[in-house]
Amino acid sequence: SEPVRLSLAEALGVDAARATRLVAIPNGVEVPDPPAPGFRDEVRRRHGVAADALLVVAAGRLSHQKDFATLVDAAALLAPDFPRLRVVIGGEGELRSELEERVRARGVAALVSLPGNLLDLPDLLLAADVLAIPSRYEGLPLVLLEAMAAGLPVAGSRIPGIMEVVRDGESGLLVEAGSPGELARALGELLRDDDRRRRRGAAARERIAAEYGFARVLAQLEDVYRGARG
């Protein structure tokens, strides 16, 4: 991502002229076709999620960086007003036991699950309603691009690597990192209004198709190699 390019230039101590030799090329993702009828319900059944649930998905290493503790706390704040809420946090990591204890302590074991690494994450994204990404810092998270390509609006941290992809108020909502209250507010706004959520999801998909599809990324890579050769 561009923030990573700039931080690398600073770390290397290069001048402005030489810094232009550092080129940021984003991750590329496939933009999936809309799912077939019945696909969404089948994937949800696979994960024990009701067809009419409001499904929030998050995925990544269970670590301090990803800060899923804030998402668990936000889910606890949302639970009284959203009885159909379900939160699936995919991934493994050193904080698994702490997160499991937090889920129990917050009284949200019935609505928050930690199923480990998700081999069918692309399917689950197509069956979800919102992506939550409460990270403290990022480069350019692949799950963010994959979720937006699947048509999901985003509730995420206002940090480099997310801000350059998610247009606040258009394809998602950005909040202060580490704030369960703000994350709960953003998730609640997205979950409460079906039409607005779908519009933001459609805007997310269009953004990824235009800027982060494999064809565009391949063209950028070709330009770099041509420049290096010639």
Side-chain angles (χ1 to χ4, degrees), residues 3 6 50 53 58 80-81 85-86 91 100 106 110 112 116 124 131 152 178 206 211:
L6 294 174
D81 296 325
L85 175 66
R86 284 293 309 276
E100 289 174 337
R106 297 293 186 269
V112 178
L124 190 60
L131 176 79
L152 292 187
E206 290 173 5
E211 300 292 336

Side-chain angles (χ1 to χ4, degrees), residues 40 44 55-57 123-131 151-153 197:
R40 175 185 171 96
R44 286 174 169 236
L55 176 57
V56 175
V57 171
D123 291 350
L124 190 60
L125 293 175
L126 287 169
D129 294 300
V130 177
L131 176 79
L152 292 187
R197 183 173 67 249

Side-chain angles (χ1 to χ4, degrees), residues 214-226:
F214 278 132
R216 179 175 173 83
V217 171
L218 177 59
Q220 291 175 281
L221 284 168
E222 288 177 337
D223 287 344
V224 169
Y225 278 102
R226 288 194 187 97

Side-chain angles (χ1 to χ4, degrees), residues 20-168:
T20 61
R21 297 178 65 191
L22 298 171
V23 180
I25 297 178
N27 294 320
V29 294
E30 180 181 359
V31 179
D33 295 329
F39 178 86
R40 175 185 171 96
D41 291 350
E42 190 280 324
V43 173
R44 286 174 169 236
R45 281 194 298 270
R46 194 188 307 162
H47 288 272
V49 176
D52 66 344
L54 293 168
L55 176 57
V56 175
V57 171
R61 184 166 181 80
L62 307 184
S63 64
H64 174 77
Q65 173 196 354
K66 301 299 183 180
D67 194 18
F68 292 130
T70 288
L71 177 55
V72 173
D73 292 350
L77 294 173
L78 288 168
D81 296 325
F82 292 89
R84 295 185 293 123
L85 175 66
R86 284 293 309 276
V87 179
V88 176
I89 304 173
E92 287 292 352
E94 60 272 18
L95 296 186
R96 167 170 280 282
S97 60
E98 291 183 25
L99 285 170
E100 289 174 337
E101 176 55 35
R102 198 179 199 95
V103 168
R104 288 191 291 270
R106 297 293 186 269
V108 291
L111 60 95
V112 178
S113 61
L114 298 161
N117 292 326
L118 295 169
L119 299 180
D120 65 343
L121 179 59
D123 291 350
L124 190 60
L125 293 175
L126 287 169
D129 294 300
V130 177
L131 176 79
I133 183 161
S135 303
R136 298 175 183 272
Y137 57 91
E138 286 287 357
L140 181 59
L142 191 60
V143 68
L144 172 65
L145 305 181
E146 292 173 333
M148 292 175 67
L152 292 187
V154 178
S157 300
R158 192 181 294 109
I159 58 173
I162 295 178
M163 291 189 302
E164 68 182 295
V165 182
V166 179
R167 290 173 174 160
D168 194 16

Side-chain angles (χ1 to χ4, degrees), residues 171-187:
S171 52
L173 297 172
L174 300 178
V175 302
E176 189 71 22
S179 173
E182 286 199 25
L183 183 59
R185 175 189 56 76
L187 286 169

